[in-house]
Amino acid sequence: MSKNVTILGAGAFGTSISTILAENGYKVLLWCHESELVDYINNDHINKLFFPDFKLNENIMATNSFEKALSHSKYIFQAIPVKFLRKVLLNAKNFVKKEHVFISLSKGMENESLFLPSQIINELFENKVAVLSGPNFAKEIAQKKYTASVLASDDEDLGIELKKILQNNYFNIELSNDVIGVQVGAALKNLVSVLVGFAKGSKAAENTIALLITKSFKEIVELCKILGGNE
């Protein structure tokens, strides 16, 4: 069990994290919503729908069975888009055990509740939850480009344990105890990128763009404090 890892969600980012774990010697079971994707991954070692340009490590296998996926490991990495996260977890609920540890890879907030991913998990289960996030492109992770992410957990020992599982010579992990703050930054950083894109498209001056970025960061910090994160 200690060398097995489960990932819920076979999108680009979930698949890229599976490549890291497989490279690190773990047997990864990737839960897929799409049944045809299970066959592609298990037979051809290609995620033809979401990550078609990469041959996957043979340590990565796939299933669309929650029972099989959740019995594979105590480490449950979830990479489900936030708008589908609650529904997927409710469907998986009967197979969740108290020893499972959830590591959330999702970015964003639930529309109806404004909950962050860890808060959705905490509402449904009493299991330990950690968060992995950073300025990462899935494709570059698979290409083994040097990358860093933050692993946030309010359990220091769990953070150290997960860092050992994830870190290697091209994927660096920094530890944090600010589970809320890391998720707020992850949810809002792309909004700043879009804003800067609009400004550049409108031929705004660099000074104006710098002002927008500075004000945006200030607002993110304020929201982080309101939601209980560490500024």
Side-chain angles (χ1 to χ4, degrees):
M1 288 285 285
S2 63
K3 294 297 286 185
N4 292 350
V5 175
T6 293
I7 295 185
L8 302 180
F13 198 67
T15 303
S16 71
I17 295 299
S18 75
T19 67
I20 292 171
L21 294 163
E23 287 282 335
N24 290 355
Y26 288 85
K27 292 189 179 300
V28 180
L29 190 57
L30 195 57
W31 177 84
C32 310
H33 174 71
E34 301 82 4
S35 56
E36 69 271 24
L37 194 54
V38 174
D39 294 330
Y40 286 134
I41 292 173
N42 290 342
N43 297 328
D44 303 323
H45 301 292
I46 293 175
N47 183 335
K48 195 169 183 178
L49 297 182
F50 303 111
F51 219 60
D53 299 330
F54 292 91
K55 194 79 170 179
L56 299 179
N57 189 301
E58 293 190 4
N59 277 345
I60 300 170
M61 299 298 287
T63 182
N64 59 4
S65 163
F66 284 120
E67 182 176 11
K68 187 174 180 181
L70 289 164
S71 65
H72 180 71
S73 173
K74 79 170 187 177
Y75 303 111
I76 312 299
F77 287 76
Q78 75 78 16
I80 307 295
V82 173
K83 65 180 179 178
F84 304 123
L85 178 57
R86 185 180 295 272
K87 181 179 179 180
V88 169
L89 292 179
L90 284 172
N91 288 335
K93 191 170 185 176
N94 288 340
F95 307 107
V96 174
K97 299 174 183 175
K98 62 181 180 179
E99 63 265 26
H100 282 139
V101 175
F102 284 92
I103 304 95
S104 179
L105 309 177
S106 301
K107 297 176 181 177
M109 292 180 174
E110 189 175 43
N111 283 345
E112 297 79 8
S113 66
L114 297 183
F115 278 7
L116 296 161
S118 71
Q119 294 171 322
I120 298 172
I121 298 170
N122 285 331
E123 186 180 47
L124 298 175
F125 309 117
E126 296 181 357
N127 300 66
K128 291 182 179 180
V129 181
V131 172
L132 180 70
S133 190
N136 306 156
F137 289 116
K139 183 177 179 179
E140 292 192 0
I141 290 175
Q143 292 172 331
K144 302 184 182 180
K145 304 294 186 183
Y146 191 76
T147 300
S149 272
V150 177
L151 191 288
S153 172
D154 54 15
D155 182 328
E156 183 178 359
D157 291 337
L158 176 61
I160 293 169
E161 180 182 338
L162 293 172
K163 179 174 180 174
K164 291 177 181 177
I165 292 171
L166 285 158
Q167 185 160 278
N168 59 27
N169 62 0
Y170 63 87
F171 193 68
N172 186 57
I173 296 293
E174 296 185 13
L175 295 177
S176 170
N177 61 4
D178 187 11
V179 173
I180 297 297
V182 168
Q183 291 176 101
V184 171
L188 298 181
K189 66 182 178 60
N190 286 350
L191 297 179
V192 181
S193 298
V194 172
L195 178 63
V196 170
F198 277 126
K200 284 186 173 290
S202 302
K203 310 298 183 187
E206 293 298 321
N207 286 357
T208 307
I209 292 171
L211 173 63
L212 289 172
I213 293 172
T214 302
K215 289 289 188 182
S216 296
F217 286 169
K218 183 179 179 182
E219 289 188 5
I220 291 173
V221 169
E222 290 301 316
L223 181 58
C224 179
K225 289 194 295 183
I226 291 168
L227 294 176
N230 185 335
E231 67 177 301

